[in-house]
Amino acid sequence: AEKDTPANARSTSLNDQLGQIEYIFSDKTGTLTQNIMTFKKCCINGNIYGSSNKTECKSMDLSWNKYIDKKLEFHDQLLLDTIRRDEDPVVREYMRLLALCHTVMVEEKESELVYQAASPDEEALVTAARNLGYVFLSRTQDTITISELGVQRTYKVLALLDFNSVRKRMSVLVQDPEGCIKLYTKGADSVILERLHGDQTNEGCTIKALDSFAAETLRTLCLAMKEMDKKEYALWSKKHHAASILLQGRAQELDKVYEEIEQNLKLLGATAIEDKLQDGVPETIHLLKRGDIKVWVLTGDKQETAVNIGFACQLLSEDMIILEESKICEILESTWYSSNSLVGSSEALCSNNSFLPYQASGGHVKKALVVTGDFLEKIFHTEEEKKAKKMKGLLESLCFRTADTSKEHGNLIEKAFVELATTCQAVICCRVTPKQKALIVQMVKRHKNAISLAIGDGANDVNMIKTADIGVGISGHEGSGTEP
């Protein structure tokens, strides 16, 4: 191993349990993949840039940029020429966003800029902007200074709207040297696209680019912005200040204030970052499958990226039927109706014979199940008594039509889902939060009498690791975030 760090067993019962594992719950980034992020491609105003041709990089003239990173892996002379002409306002704002919208810290060592980022993704994006002429130079509590094609500009930071696993985006509100107030936002496509202003001519091209990037197993983000007038900012600033000084419910109120300003955005484009597989991952997963151990991958990435990584690491194969949410609803609904004694018996839906019609139709065909965090939220909510009033709507959204919204029947849906998922050779849960990762492990443990193992490398995996019977924390590129 690169760090040559030995394994450290913290329980004497491990040997006994390791031989009985039936389910493995794995994080993706930093566990299946290396967590070494490289900016590979981008889409700006509907145009895709980025070449896999390494000889093109050697022919690029980068002598004008004294801040160039020697490990440059992004090559596109056309984009470089477009940036240097500085005639396209969308390209200009795209590059400014990369250089301004982040929480990276910078220091100078031996006359070179060294970036320190909380996540490898952020470092990759800021480094890409640096290589393309928009260089993040310094940060104070109230300002960010960048070099734009050799011209130094200082932006006043009016507000930093933090990223979290629920918001799935971050924004920075700045005032440029000319006095214009601008909001720059980056985040998951699912949250950015729904916050755009109605008239977006480049949205269709950007969505196609996102699908293309995901097919290449690249991690994607959408970038957007908007300009604000001073009156609009003054009103919002008062609300922001009031929320920020609350003693109770501050986080919830701040989220509401953030939500208010992050609307009617103008789409700039998307980024695509490569995160290569760890050595030996496909071979390891193949051996686990041969040992009849079910592997569940839990990731915050978008569905297309997660599925393509699944194929790359041989978790998924071409001969598998992949069950997505619409099909899962259909299967569970037909099972729901076929259980005649449903009202009288909570076991009817979840007995081993419940899925026989589906299994018979599938024969011995291998199956994989792919769901999102939003879908799982509906499953988990059926277990919470306090949300019983909302149960009818949730059941309808899962294709179930029943007037009974009791906890017992909510639990029944969860059991049915687990029963279906455990008949599959692989399960991928994408766009899940750290809390949902733990709830997934908890759900399988509750309904299956089986030993489970969870493995991850980041602080966001700690709850999942603690919930499983066996927890494995990896010392990765983000440090030992999973160590107790």
Side-chain angles (χ1 to χ4, degrees):
E2 190 177 323
K3 292 190 178 182
D4 198 26
T5 307
N8 185 0
R10 299 180 185 271
S11 169
T12 54
S13 61
L14 268 181
N15 285 345
D16 185 39
Q17 289 182 310
L18 281 170
Q20 303 177 58
I21 294 169
E22 292 185 41
Y23 296 93
I24 291 179
F25 300 92
S26 175
D27 172 44
K28 183 185 77 66
T29 305
T31 305
L32 298 181
T33 62
Q34 296 176 10
N35 203 18
I36 301 174
M37 307 296 180
T38 309
F39 188 88
K40 283 289 184 183
K41 293 188 176 183
C42 63
C43 174
I44 307 176
N45 203 19
N47 300 310
I48 296 176
Y49 300 97
S51 169
S52 56
N53 185 0
K54 292 189 178 181
T55 58
E56 187 176 322
C57 182
K58 294 176 183 176
S59 64
M60 289 169 65
D61 178 20
L62 301 168
S63 57
W64 57 275
N65 187 354
K66 66 177 181 178
Y67 296 105
I68 195 74
D69 178 41
K70 296 180 177 66
K71 296 178 286 186
L72 172 67
E73 287 195 36
F74 178 83
H75 334 116
D76 198 301
Q77 189 64 49
L78 177 61
L79 176 59
L80 204 57
D81 293 341
T82 306
I83 291 170
R84 293 189 70 187
R85 280 197 302 270
D86 199 24
E87 295 170 354
D88 188 333
V90 177
V91 172
R92 189 186 307 128
E93 295 295 356
Y94 181 100
M95 299 309 301
R96 280 178 180 163
L97 189 152
L98 293 183
L100 292 168
C101 186
H102 56 80
T103 57
V104 174
M105 303 303 291
V106 61
E107 57 181 328
E108 199 167 317
K109 287 184 179 177
E110 299 175 3
S111 301
E112 281 200 10
L113 296 177
V114 178
Y115 294 144
Q116 299 292 335
S119 76
D121 295 79
E122 284 221 311
E123 186 180 347
L125 294 175
V126 177
T127 303
R130 166 184 171 174
N131 290 330
L132 294 168
Y134 283 71
V135 187
F136 167 51
L137 296 175
S138 65
R139 175 195 296 277
T140 69
Q141 190 172 351
D142 304 314
T143 66
I144 294 177
T145 301
I146 65 174
S147 168
E148 299 182 5
L149 301 173
V151 179
Q152 194 163 306
R153 288 166 60 89
T154 298
Y155 291 77
K156 183 179 179 183
V157 179
L158 303 175
L160 184 68
L161 286 56
D162 297 329
F163 171 89
N164 65 42
S165 57
V166 178
R167 280 170 41 76
K168 297 179 183 174
R169 63 190 182 278
M170 78 160 287
S171 301
V172 63
L173 187 64
V174 299
Q175 186 172 32
D176 68 17
E178 290 75 38
C180 296
I181 296 173
K182 297 176 180 179
L183 178 79
Y184 293 102
T185 303
K186 68 179 182 185
D189 56 353
S190 56
V191 295
I192 299 295
L193 295 176
E194 67 185 21
R195 287 169 172 78
L196 299 178
H197 186 271
D199 183 25
Q200 298 286 322
T201 55
N202 60 351
E203 186 176 349
C205 296
T206 304
I207 291 171
K208 285 182 181 177
L210 286 165
D211 292 340
S212 168
F213 296 155
E216 298 176 52
T217 71
L218 301 174
R219 294 162 62 90
T220 58
L221 283 176
C222 273
L223 312 183
M225 69 159 294
K226 76 171 181 180
E227 292 190 25
M228 294 178 66
D229 60 48
K230 291 183 179 179
K231 285 184 181 177
E232 184 185 359
Y233 166 68
L235 286 171
W236 181 84
S237 183
K238 287 178 183 177
K239 295 178 185 178
H240 180 247
H241 178 70
S244 65
I245 60 174
L246 287 175
L247 296 178
Q248 291 185 327
R250 182 189 303 162
Q252 292 86 344
E253 285 304 311
L254 280 172
D255 277 352
K256 289 179 185 175
V257 175
Y258 293 169
E259 182 74 30
E260 185 181 319
I261 197 175
E262 292 171 325
Q263 299 291 339
N264 297 316
L265 303 173
K266 176 186 176 184
L267 182 63
L268 298 175
T271 62
I273 292 175
E274 181 182 54
D275 185 15
K276 292 179 181 175
L277 283 177
Q278 299 264 27
D279 294 338
V281 165
E283 294 82 358
T284 303
I285 287 179
H286 177 68
L287 290 172
L288 291 172
K289 286 162 74 176
R290 280 186 62 188
D292 203 25
I293 294 173
K294 305 286 177 66
V295 179
W296 292 41
V297 173
L298 317 180
T299 177
D301 275 349
K302 66 178 287 181
Q303 183 169 324
E304 293 82 359
T305 301
V307 167
N308 283 294
I309 285 285
F311 280 109
C313 69
Q314 294 182 20
L315 180 65
L316 304 179
S317 55
E318 296 293 344
D319 61 347
M320 277 184 175
I321 293 177
I322 297 179
L323 307 177
E324 296 187 352
E325 291 167 12
S326 57
K327 185 65 177 176
I328 295 165
C329 283
E330 190 183 311
I331 294 165
L332 294 182
E333 184 183 19
S334 63
T335 308
W336 180 275
Y337 285 134
S338 68
S339 302
N340 297 323
S341 57
L342 183 60
V343 177
S345 169
S346 64
E347 297 302 318
L349 181 61
C350 302
S351 66
N352 288 331
N353 296 323
S354 295
F355 295 99
L356 281 178
Y358 167 69
Q359 289 168 343
S361 66
H364 296 291
V365 175
K366 297 174 185 175
K367 300 180 291 293
L369 185 141
V370 179
V371 291
T372 63
D374 288 342
F375 183 88
L376 290 168
E377 194 66 19
K378 296 168 188 174
I379 299 287
F380 298 143
H381 277 183
T382 61
E383 269 287 88
E384 297 174 20
E385 209 163 12
K386 65 183 179 181
K387 297 194 184 281
K389 291 180 182 178
K390 296 182 181 178
M391 182 60 63
K392 190 173 181 181
L394 292 171
L395 292 175
E396 285 170 357
S397 67
L398 273 171
C399 312
F400 301 129
R401 303 177 188 89
T402 175
D404 193 330
T405 60
S406 66
K407 181 180 176 182
E408 180 185 358
H409 284 75
N411 192 34
L412 201 59
I413 297 168
E414 191 181 275
K415 283 184 180 180
F417 174 76
V418 172
E419 189 66 35
L420 174 61
T422 52
T423 64
C424 298
Q425 280 67 38
V427 176
I428 295 178
C429 304
C430 41
R431 288 284 190 238
V432 290
T433 65
K435 181 181 177 183
Q436 286 175 331
K437 288 184 178 185
L439 288 173
I440 292 164
V441 178
Q442 207 173 65
M443 177 176 69
V444 175
K445 282 181 69 177
R446 186 160 53 240
H447 299 295
K448 289 288 174 183
N449 184 23
I451 300 293
S452 63
L453 178 147
I455 180 168
D457 75 313
N460 62 341
D461 301 315
V462 171
N463 287 340
M464 170 182 79
I465 288 169
K466 285 184 174 179
T467 304
D469 298 297
I470 301 167
V472 180
I474 297 174
S475 175
H477 285 275
E478 291 185 33
S480 303
T482 52
E483 284 191 6

Short mmCIF file of all heavy atoms in Angstrom, two decimals, residues 273-308:
data_model
loop_
_atom_site.label_atom_id
_atom_site.label_comp_id
_atom_site.label_asym_id
_atom_site.label_seq_id
_atom_site.Cartn_x
_atom_site.Cartn_y
_atom_site.Cartn_z
N ILE A 273 -14.97 15.58 -13.44
CA ILE A 273 -13.73 15.23 -12.75
C ILE A 273 -13.58 13.71 -12.71
O ILE A 273 -14.54 12.98 -12.46
CB ILE A 273 -13.74 15.80 -11.31
CG1 ILE A 273 -13.67 17.32 -11.36
CG2 ILE A 273 -12.61 15.24 -10.47
CD1 ILE A 273 -13.81 17.98 -10.01
N GLU A 274 -12.37 13.26 -12.98
CA GLU A 274 -12.08 11.82 -12.97
C GLU A 274 -11.57 11.39 -11.61
O GLU A 274 -10.74 12.06 -11.00
CB GLU A 274 -11.04 11.48 -14.03
CG GLU A 274 -10.72 9.99 -14.11
CD GLU A 274 -9.64 9.68 -15.14
OE1 GLU A 274 -8.55 10.28 -15.07
OE2 GLU A 274 -9.89 8.85 -16.02
N ASP A 275 -12.10 10.26 -11.13
CA ASP A 275 -11.62 9.63 -9.90
C ASP A 275 -11.42 8.15 -10.21
O ASP A 275 -12.37 7.37 -10.27
CB ASP A 275 -12.66 9.82 -8.78
CG ASP A 275 -12.17 9.29 -7.44
OD1 ASP A 275 -10.96 9.03 -7.31
OD2 ASP A 275 -13.00 9.12 -6.53
N LYS A 276 -10.17 7.75 -10.43
CA LYS A 276 -9.88 6.39 -10.90
C LYS A 276 -10.14 5.34 -9.83
O LYS A 276 -10.06 5.61 -8.64
CB LYS A 276 -8.42 6.30 -11.36
CG LYS A 276 -8.13 7.12 -12.61
CD LYS A 276 -6.66 7.02 -12.99
CE LYS A 276 -6.37 7.85 -14.24
NZ LYS A 276 -4.92 7.86 -14.57
N LEU A 277 -10.41 4.11 -10.30
CA LEU A 277 -10.61 2.98 -9.38
C LEU A 277 -9.32 2.65 -8.64
O LEU A 277 -8.22 2.80 -9.18
CB LEU A 277 -11.07 1.74 -10.14
CG LEU A 277 -12.53 1.66 -10.60
CD1 LEU A 277 -12.72 0.38 -11.40
CD2 LEU A 277 -13.50 1.71 -9.44
N GLN A 278 -9.48 2.17 -7.41
CA GLN A 278 -8.33 1.63 -6.67
C GLN A 278 -7.83 0.36 -7.37
O GLN A 278 -8.61 -0.34 -8.04
CB GLN A 278 -8.75 1.24 -5.24
CG GLN A 278 -9.28 2.38 -4.41
CD GLN A 278 -8.22 3.00 -3.52
OE1 GLN A 278 -7.03 2.95 -3.84
NE2 GLN A 278 -8.64 3.59 -2.44
N ASP A 279 -6.56 0.07 -7.21
CA ASP A 279 -6.00 -1.17 -7.78
C ASP A 279 -6.67 -2.38 -7.14
O ASP A 279 -6.85 -2.44 -5.93
CB ASP A 279 -4.49 -1.24 -7.52
CG ASP A 279 -3.73 -0.14 -8.27
OD1 ASP A 279 -4.28 0.37 -9.26
OD2 ASP A 279 -2.60 0.19 -7.85
N GLY A 280 -7.04 -3.34 -7.98
CA GLY A 280 -7.55 -4.62 -7.48
C GLY A 280 -9.02 -4.64 -7.11
O GLY A 280 -9.53 -5.68 -6.66
N VAL A 281 -9.73 -3.53 -7.30
CA VAL A 281 -11.15 -3.50 -6.91
C VAL A 281 -12.01 -4.47 -7.73
O VAL A 281 -12.78 -5.24 -7.15
CB VAL A 281 -11.72 -2.05 -7.00
CG1 VAL A 281 -13.24 -2.05 -6.97
CG2 VAL A 281 -11.19 -1.22 -5.85
N PRO A 282 -11.92 -4.50 -9.08
CA PRO A 282 -12.75 -5.44 -9.83
C PRO A 282 -12.51 -6.89 -9.43
O PRO A 282 -13.46 -7.67 -9.28
CB PRO A 282 -12.31 -5.20 -11.30
CG PRO A 282 -11.78 -3.81 -11.30
CD PRO A 282 -11.11 -3.64 -9.98
N GLU A 283 -11.24 -7.23 -9.22
CA GLU A 283 -10.91 -8.62 -8.83
C GLU A 283 -11.49 -8.96 -7.46
O GLU A 283 -12.02 -10.06 -7.23
CB GLU A 283 -9.39 -8.82 -8.81
CG GLU A 283 -8.71 -8.71 -10.17
CD GLU A 283 -8.42 -7.28 -10.59
OE1 GLU A 283 -8.77 -6.33 -9.86
OE2 GLU A 283 -7.84 -7.10 -11.68
N THR A 284 -11.42 -8.01 -6.54
CA THR A 284 -11.94 -8.23 -5.18
C THR A 284 -13.45 -8.42 -5.21
O THR A 284 -13.99 -9.34 -4.56
CB THR A 284 -11.59 -7.04 -4.27
OG1 THR A 284 -10.18 -6.86 -4.26
CG2 THR A 284 -12.09 -7.26 -2.85
N ILE A 285 -14.15 -7.58 -5.96
CA ILE A 285 -15.62 -7.69 -6.04
C ILE A 285 -16.02 -9.01 -6.69
O ILE A 285 -16.99 -9.66 -6.27
CB ILE A 285 -16.21 -6.48 -6.78
CG1 ILE A 285 -16.12 -5.24 -5.87
CG2 ILE A 285 -17.65 -6.73 -7.21
CD1 ILE A 285 -16.63 -3.97 -6.47
N HIS A 286 -15.26 -9.43 -7.71
CA HIS A 286 -15.53 -10.72 -8.36
C HIS A 286 -15.43 -11.86 -7.35
O HIS A 286 -16.29 -12.76 -7.32
CB HIS A 286 -14.54 -10.92 -9.50
CG HIS A 286 -14.68 -12.25 -10.18
ND1 HIS A 286 -15.78 -12.59 -10.95
CD2 HIS A 286 -13.85 -13.35 -10.20
CE1 HIS A 286 -15.63 -13.82 -11.41
NE2 HIS A 286 -14.48 -14.30 -10.97
N LEU A 287 -14.40 -11.83 -6.50
CA LEU A 287 -14.23 -12.89 -5.49
C LEU A 287 -15.34 -12.86 -4.44
O LEU A 287 -15.83 -13.90 -4.00
CB LEU A 287 -12.86 -12.75 -4.80
CG LEU A 287 -11.64 -13.07 -5.68
CD1 LEU A 287 -10.35 -12.69 -4.95
CD2 LEU A 287 -11.62 -14.55 -6.05
N LEU A 288 -15.76 -11.66 -4.05
CA LEU A 288 -16.85 -11.53 -3.08
C LEU A 288 -18.15 -12.11 -3.65
O LEU A 288 -18.89 -12.81 -2.96
CB LEU A 288 -17.06 -10.05 -2.70
CG LEU A 288 -15.95 -9.40 -1.88
CD1 LEU A 288 -16.20 -7.89 -1.76
CD2 LEU A 288 -15.86 -10.02 -0.48
N LYS A 289 -18.40 -11.83 -4.93
CA LYS A 289 -19.62 -12.34 -5.57
C LYS A 289 -19.56 -13.87 -5.68
O LYS A 289 -20.58 -14.54 -5.50
CB LYS A 289 -19.79 -11.70 -6.95
CG LYS A 289 -20.26 -10.24 -6.85
CD LYS A 289 -20.02 -9.47 -8.13
CE LYS A 289 -20.98 -9.83 -9.22
NZ LYS A 289 -20.78 -8.98 -10.43
N ARG A 290 -18.37 -14.40 -5.94
CA ARG A 290 -18.23 -15.86 -5.99
C ARG A 290 -18.51 -16.50 -4.63
O ARG A 290 -18.99 -17.63 -4.54
CB ARG A 290 -16.81 -16.23 -6.43
CG ARG A 290 -16.60 -16.14 -7.93
CD ARG A 290 -15.23 -16.65 -8.33
NE ARG A 290 -15.03 -18.06 -8.00
CZ ARG A 290 -13.86 -18.69 -8.12
NH1 ARG A 290 -12.80 -18.03 -8.55
NH2 ARG A 290 -13.76 -19.95 -7.80
N GLY A 291 -18.19 -15.75 -3.56
CA GLY A 291 -18.46 -16.23 -2.20
C GLY A 291 -19.88 -15.96 -1.74
O GLY A 291 -20.21 -16.13 -0.56
N ASP A 292 -20.76 -15.54 -2.68
CA ASP A 292 -22.17 -15.25 -2.40
C ASP A 292 -22.35 -14.16 -1.35
O ASP A 292 -23.27 -14.19 -0.53
CB ASP A 292 -22.91 -16.53 -1.96
CG ASP A 292 -24.41 -16.42 -2.21
OD1 ASP A 292 -24.80 -15.64 -3.11
OD2 ASP A 292 -25.18 -17.07 -1.50
N ILE A 293 -21.44 -13.20 -1.36
CA ILE A 293 -21.56 -12.03 -0.48
C ILE A 293 -22.14 -10.89 -1.30
O ILE A 293 -21.65 -10.56 -2.38
CB ILE A 293 -20.19 -11.62 0.10
CG1 ILE A 293 -19.67 -12.73 1.04
CG2 ILE A 293 -20.28 -10.30 0.86
CD1 ILE A 293 -18.26 -12.50 1.53
N LYS A 294 -23.23 -10.30 -0.81
CA LYS A 294 -23.91 -9.22 -1.52
C LYS A 294 -23.19 -7.89 -1.24
O LYS A 294 -22.91 -7.57 -0.08
CB LYS A 294 -25.36 -9.11 -1.07
CG LYS A 294 -26.16 -10.41 -1.20
CD LYS A 294 -26.49 -10.72 -2.63
CE LYS A 294 -27.21 -12.05 -2.78
NZ LYS A 294 -28.54 -12.07 -2.18
N VAL A 295 -22.91 -7.13 -2.29
CA VAL A 295 -22.21 -5.85 -2.15
C VAL A 295 -23.18 -4.70 -2.46
O VAL A 295 -23.79 -4.68 -3.53
CB VAL A 295 -20.98 -5.76 -3.08
CG1 VAL A 295 -20.29 -4.41 -2.92
CG2 VAL A 295 -20.01 -6.90 -2.78
N TRP A 296 -23.32 -3.80 -1.49
CA TRP A 296 -24.13 -2.59 -1.68
C TRP A 296 -23.17 -1.40 -1.71
O TRP A 296 -22.36 -1.21 -0.80
CB TRP A 296 -25.10 -2.41 -0.51
CG TRP A 296 -26.21 -3.43 -0.42
CD1 TRP A 296 -26.12 -4.77 -0.64
CD2 TRP A 296 -27.59 -3.18 -0.06
NE1 TRP A 296 -27.32 -5.38 -0.45
CE2 TRP A 296 -28.26 -4.43 -0.08
CE3 TRP A 296 -28.30 -2.03 0.27
CZ2 TRP A 296 -29.60 -4.55 0.23
CZ3 TRP A 296 -29.64 -2.15 0.59
CH2 TRP A 296 -30.28 -3.39 0.55
N VAL A 297 -23.27 -0.58 -2.75
CA VAL A 297 -22.44 0.63 -2.84
C VAL A 297 -23.32 1.84 -2.51
O VAL A 297 -24.38 2.04 -3.12
CB VAL A 297 -21.81 0.78 -4.25
CG1 VAL A 297 -21.11 2.12 -4.37
CG2 VAL A 297 -20.83 -0.36 -4.50
N LEU A 298 -22.89 2.63 -1.55
CA LEU A 298 -23.65 3.80 -1.09
C LEU A 298 -22.84 5.04 -1.41
O LEU A 298 -21.73 5.22 -0.90
CB LEU A 298 -23.91 3.71 0.41
CG LEU A 298 -24.35 2.33 0.96
CD1 LEU A 298 -24.57 2.40 2.46
CD2 LEU A 298 -25.60 1.84 0.26
N THR A 299 -23.37 5.91 -2.26
CA THR A 299 -22.58 7.06 -2.74
C THR A 299 -23.43 8.31 -2.85
O THR A 299 -24.65 8.24 -3.03
CB THR A 299 -21.94 6.74 -4.12
OG1 THR A 299 -21.26 7.88 -4.59
CG2 THR A 299 -23.00 6.33 -5.14
N GLY A 300 -22.77 9.45 -2.78
CA GLY A 300 -23.45 10.73 -2.98
C GLY A 300 -23.46 11.16 -4.43
O GLY A 300 -24.07 12.17 -4.79
N ASP A 301 -22.80 10.39 -5.31
CA ASP A 301 -22.72 10.75 -6.74
C ASP A 301 -24.06 10.58 -7.43
O ASP A 301 -24.95 9.87 -6.95
CB ASP A 301 -21.68 9.88 -7.44
CG ASP A 301 -20.27 10.44 -7.31
OD1 ASP A 301 -20.15 11.59 -6.86
OD2 ASP A 301 -19.32 9.73 -7.64
N LYS A 302 -24.18 11.19 -8.62
CA LYS A 302 -25.41 11.05 -9.39
C LYS A 302 -25.53 9.63 -9.92
O LYS A 302 -24.55 8.88 -10.04
CB LYS A 302 -25.46 12.08 -10.53
CG LYS A 302 -24.44 11.91 -11.63
CD LYS A 302 -24.65 12.96 -12.71
CE LYS A 302 -25.89 12.66 -13.51
NZ LYS A 302 -26.13 13.64 -14.59
N GLN A 303 -26.76 9.24 -10.28
CA GLN A 303 -27.06 7.86 -10.62
C GLN A 303 -26.24 7.34 -11.79
O GLN A 303 -25.68 6.23 -11.72
CB GLN A 303 -28.56 7.73 -10.93
CG GLN A 303 -28.99 6.29 -11.23
CD GLN A 303 -30.50 6.14 -11.27
OE1 GLN A 303 -31.21 6.79 -10.52
NE2 GLN A 303 -30.99 5.30 -12.15
N GLU A 304 -26.14 8.12 -12.86
CA GLU A 304 -25.43 7.64 -14.06
C GLU A 304 -23.95 7.37 -13.77
O GLU A 304 -23.39 6.37 -14.22
CB GLU A 304 -25.57 8.66 -15.19
CG GLU A 304 -26.97 8.82 -15.74
CD GLU A 304 -27.85 9.75 -14.89
OE1 GLU A 304 -27.35 10.26 -13.86
OE2 GLU A 304 -29.02 9.95 -15.24
N THR A 305 -23.33 8.25 -12.99
CA THR A 305 -21.92 8.06 -12.64
C THR A 305 -21.75 6.81 -11.79
O THR A 305 -20.85 6.00 -12.02
CB THR A 305 -21.38 9.29 -11.87
OG1 THR A 305 -21.53 10.44 -12.70
CG2 THR A 305 -19.90 9.12 -11.53
N ALA A 306 -22.64 6.64 -10.80
CA ALA A 306 -22.56 5.48 -9.91
C ALA A 306 -22.74 4.18 -10.68
O ALA A 306 -22.03 3.20 -10.46
CB ALA A 306 -23.61 5.61 -8.81
N VAL A 307 -23.69 4.17 -11.61
CA VAL A 307 -23.95 2.95 -12.41
C VAL A 307 -22.73 2.62 -13.27
O VAL A 307 -22.32 1.45 -13.36
CB VAL A 307 -25.21 3.12 -13.27
CG1 VAL A 307 -25.31 2.02 -14.33
CG2 VAL A 307 -26.45 3.11 -12.39
N ASN A 308 -22.15 3.62 -13.90
CA ASN A 308 -20.98 3.37 -14.76
C ASN A 308 -19.76 2.93 -13.96
O ASN A 308 -18.97 2.11 -14.43
CB ASN A 308 -20.68 4.60 -15.61
CG ASN A 308 -21.65 4.72 -16.78
OD1 ASN A 308 -21.66 3.90 -17.68
ND2 ASN A 308 -22.50 5.73 -16.73
#
